[in-house]
Amino acid sequence: MKNSTIQKVTLDDITQLQKIGRQTFSETFSGDNSEEDMTQYLDEHFSTEKLTNELNNKNSEFYFAVLDGAVIGYLKLNFGESQTELKDAKAVEIERIYVPKEFHGQSVGQLLYEKAIQVAKQKEADYVWLGVWEENKRALSFYTKNGFIAFDKHIFVLGNDPQTDIMMKLQLK
């Protein structure tokens, strides 16, 4: 999106991170999951304590997409032991790219994705990988369009509901 910028998230931004994280996760998944499971997930994964730990982790990075001073999306990357599964030193995990619905279709996700690839190349990663819920057709289409291929599946637990994620990767080298 024109005039938007990408900026690294710091501890000073934790309130904004918590707000956009909860908002975008709810917008994306609340229609397909129980209120109880959503509340449990949001409380666990977007608590101030959890986000503080993630922001202090040297092997994770968050970035905001910003337009006119407002946060319009965010990205979370994991490296090395901080990756949720593979923990490959030559890989980067895109754990989250989320954009509020009002900015869907405006290339904000693409801008965040391009930042992820830039960081992965700076870190000399061989590949980038991620997990996408098998029911999230919009995200599956986005990553397929960007050259990712499915290579495995894993279970992602939302609240008390085990769900299947498609694991996808993009070779950089």
Side-chain angles (χ1 to χ4, degrees):
M1 168 180 264
K2 276 187 177 175
N3 303 324
S4 58
T5 59
I6 301 293
Q7 66 186 41
K8 193 167 184 180
V9 178
T10 69
L11 272 176
D12 292 338
D13 304 313
I14 196 164
T15 302
Q16 283 183 294
L17 178 61
Q18 190 173 44
K19 180 181 175 193
I20 194 158
R22 292 177 69 89
Q23 173 193 347
T24 55
F25 197 88
S26 293
E27 286 178 354
T28 305
F29 300 112
S30 63
D32 297 308
N33 292 282
S34 75
E35 186 176 336
E36 179 184 334
D37 285 337
M38 287 296 297
T39 299
Q40 182 180 341
Y41 185 87
L42 293 171
D43 288 349
E44 288 174 9
H45 292 270
F46 294 99
S47 70
T48 301
E49 180 182 5
K50 175 121 169 98
L51 291 176
T52 299
N53 289 337
E54 291 177 340
L55 285 164
N56 282 328
N57 182 341
K58 65 179 176 40
N59 287 315
S60 292
E61 293 178 0
F62 287 87
Y63 294 89
F64 283 150
V66 179
L67 177 67
D68 298 328
V71 175
I72 59 169
Y74 82 105
L75 161 70
K76 181 184 182 203
L77 301 174
N78 296 316
F79 322 105
E81 291 297 312
S82 291
Q83 294 174 75
T84 56
E85 285 203 27
L86 301 182
K87 304 192 189 308
D88 184 340
K90 292 305 253 170
V92 170
E93 176 191 16
I94 298 175
E95 185 177 349
R96 299 181 197 142
I97 292 181
Y98 284 101
V99 175
K101 282 193 173 175
E102 67 187 284
F103 293 102
H104 283 186
Q106 297 180 45
S107 300
V108 178
Q110 189 68 34
L111 188 68
L112 290 163
Y113 164 77
E114 288 167 5
K115 178 63 177 181
I117 299 304
Q118 175 191 14
V119 171
K121 288 179 177 178
Q122 287 170 346
K123 294 198 175 281
E124 299 180 2
D126 290 345
Y127 63 96
V128 177
W129 73 275
L130 49 87
V132 179
W133 186 32
E134 64 185 351
E135 301 298 325
N136 190 344
K137 305 301 183 203
R138 181 180 184 87
L140 287 167
S141 174
F142 175 82
Y143 290 114
T144 300
K145 176 189 82 165
N146 278 290
F148 280 75
I149 56 166
F151 70 94
D152 203 351
K153 294 181 178 183
H154 70 179
I155 299 300
F156 175 87
V157 180
L158 191 138
N160 293 307
D161 183 19
Q163 301 178 351
T164 302
D165 276 2
I166 307 295
M167 295 173 68
M168 304 179 82
K169 78 163 67 169
L170 174 70
Q171 287 296 141
L172 299 176
K173 294 182 178 178

